[in-house]
Amino acid sequence: MTTTSTTQAASVDLPGVDGPRLLRRLVPAQSLYTFGISIDLTLTGIVGAHLAPTRALATVPFSLMPVVAALATFGLSRWIGRSGYRRVFTVAPLAAVAAGLVCAYAVHVGSFALFCVGTALVGVYQAGAGYYRYAVAEANPDARARAITTLLAGGLVAALVGPLLATAVRDLGPRPYVASYLLVAVFAALAAAWNARLPRDLAHLTRTARHDEGAPDPLARTRRALWRQPALLLGVLVTALAAVSMSSLMTAGPVAGTHMGHTEQHAAFSVQLHMIGMYAPGLLVARWIGRLGERRVAALGALVLAGAGLATLRPDIVAFVVAMTLAGVGWNLAASGGAAMVAASYRPAERGRVQPFAEVVVTVAAVVGSLGAAFATTTTTWPVLGALVTVAAVAVGAVLVRPRRR
């Protein structure tokens, strides 16, 4: 038998993955993740402002999440290659269980340093959940973008309920917000239990065709060849834009809103609308993304993010809420289109040469956005942040709509 026929036979012998079934099972996992992260998005900036020794450090706890996520990405990617997605998806939420408990205790004793440790641990869960979209994209190769947007739509209910729960249980504990962070631990524990029962065929996604047990797939391209693809570079660029825009406006929003005279209830409401914007578009985009194409959806996301930046130029409550909502919608469209472009640029055997690097770029962008938000929590600098987002979104959007060379 020739080498080619051997490879083909090995590929045929690999068990298939039921893509639609896997998507149905990961949608609740995404929802449980969104429940926990929505509480962090709603409260971390506000609680950080109460615990931080100076206002300039208020967004540091939130910024630590993407920092740790970036550090954990490579380790989780290698673990996925060895053990498959299911084990990583089961263990990563346990970090958030510890995070919720540590944050609750930090709020109880008033320790800013301990609160930073707790929020940093959420980054491990964030990195693990970031691979949900790659799993569904690989399991549904003929409908990658639709699978990703459907997955994100699974967080809609959590986006609606999460911020309400965060504020509803605010005063149930011995100190404000202790019970809120205990909810983070509860939802993470439920996610770990659910993910432990994910289909076993999830492991087949990380299995690559081989001539024999010790030889890698000869068809796998080098990192140099992979990263010279314009579509891959542009997909990473637009997902990085989504990350930096969303994290900067989201992190600075609640603190800047209270500084502009809006109440904490208004800030929580804006976060709720932001979360709805992050996940609700998936209900529509999943239907017509096939007709528009991944690139056009990403360009539409950049346009919406530019609108979010422009809305920050006015300090009134309506403009504030519009800016937060559009930031969520733009993130959904840009991240969905960009992630689909990335997932379409590599084969299963090349996953480790693309996924972790793409995720690190995106998480670094989120870190830059959240750290930059520390300087945009006042009435005067909030519009400056919005202007920067608008300029970046217009620049990326212009590249996306530029005619492609043959």
Side-chain angles (χ1 to χ4, degrees):
M1 182 179 291
T2 64
T3 300
T4 302
S5 62
T6 303
T7 303
Q8 291 174 344
S11 299
V12 170
D13 291 340
L14 290 177
V17 178
D18 188 339
R21 175 171 173 256
L22 177 60
L23 177 59
R24 290 193 299 270
R25 296 297 300 272
L26 279 178
V27 165
Q30 176 70 31
S31 182
L32 290 169
Y33 164 73
T34 306
F35 265 118
I37 203 68
S38 66
I39 296 173
D40 286 306
L41 288 174
T42 304
L43 298 181
T44 300
I46 296 173
V47 175
H50 288 309
L51 297 180
T54 65
R55 192 179 186 87
L57 298 177
T59 62
V60 169
F62 194 94
S63 302
L64 290 174
M65 295 183 201
V67 169
V68 173
L71 296 175
T73 293
F74 280 98
L76 291 180
S77 177
R78 293 179 64 87
W79 194 10
I80 288 171
R82 292 195 304 267
S83 303
Y85 281 115
R86 190 174 74 158
R87 183 168 297 180
V88 172
F89 291 170
T90 301
V91 174
L94 298 179
V97 174
L101 298 176
V102 171
C103 285
Y105 181 72
V107 173
H108 177 66
V109 300
S111 172
F112 179 70
L114 198 56
F115 185 67
C116 289
V117 172
T119 54
L121 289 173
V122 178
V124 178
Y125 187 21
Q126 198 172 38
Y131 284 100
Y132 290 168
R133 65 185 190 275
Y134 289 117
V136 299
E138 292 173 23
N140 298 271
D142 296 329
R144 277 183 288 259
R146 180 170 183 172
I148 292 172
T149 54
T150 302
L151 174 74
L152 294 179
L156 177 58
V157 174
L160 286 167
V161 179
L164 291 177
L165 283 177
T167 54
V169 302
R170 174 184 183 274
D171 298 317
L172 292 183
R175 289 201 177 188
Y177 301 118
V178 169
S180 301
Y181 280 100
L182 290 178
L183 273 180
V184 174
V186 171
F187 285 122
L190 291 174
W194 175 264
N195 290 351
R197 299 178 63 83
L198 287 172
R200 292 187 179 275
D201 61 6
L202 190 57
H204 302 327
L205 290 174
T206 56
R207 189 181 301 175
T208 57
R210 298 173 182 272
H211 288 287
D212 54 59
E213 197 63 28
D217 185 352
L219 299 179
R221 291 164 289 180
T222 63
R223 286 187 177 88
R224 180 182 177 86
L226 287 165
W227 286 97
R228 290 181 66 180
Q229 299 177 91
L232 173 58
L233 296 174
L234 192 53
V236 173
L237 177 63
V238 72
T239 49
L241 168 70
V244 71
S245 302
M246 188 274 288
S247 66
S248 60
L249 294 176
M250 178 63 251
T251 306
V255 182
T258 55
H259 190 274
M260 289 186 287
H262 310 316
T263 65
E264 289 188 1
Q265 287 72 26
H266 286 150
F269 178 66
S270 70
V271 171
Q272 185 182 29
L273 291 179
H274 172 83
M275 297 291 291
I276 294 172
M278 288 178 66
Y279 299 107
L283 298 173
L284 297 175
V285 176
R287 294 182 177 275
W288 43 264
I289 194 171
R291 286 176 291 179
L292 287 180
E294 301 156 357
R295 191 178 178 118
R296 289 181 180 176
V297 168
L300 180 60
L303 178 63
V304 175
L305 287 173
L310 291 175
T312 64
L313 299 179
R314 292 176 57 88
D316 58 90
I317 184 62
V318 174
F320 176 70
V321 170
V322 167
M324 296 289 285
T325 304
L326 291 182
V329 174
W331 173 86
N332 181 290
L333 298 174
S336 297
M341 293 170 68
V342 172
S345 65
Y346 63 86
R347 303 166 186 148
E350 301 161 346
R351 178 187 300 106
R353 300 175 184 178
V354 174
Q355 281 185 0
F357 294 96
E359 285 297 287
V360 164
V361 171
V362 172
T363 50
V364 167
V367 171
V368 171
S370 57
L371 289 177
F375 304 100
T377 56
T378 65
T379 307
T380 55
T381 52
W382 172 246
V384 174
L385 177 64
L388 293 175
V389 168
T390 299
V391 171
V394 169
V396 174
V399 177
L400 285 166
V401 300
R402 186 178 60 185
R404 286 172 286 184
R405 295 180 180 177
R406 297 188 60 182

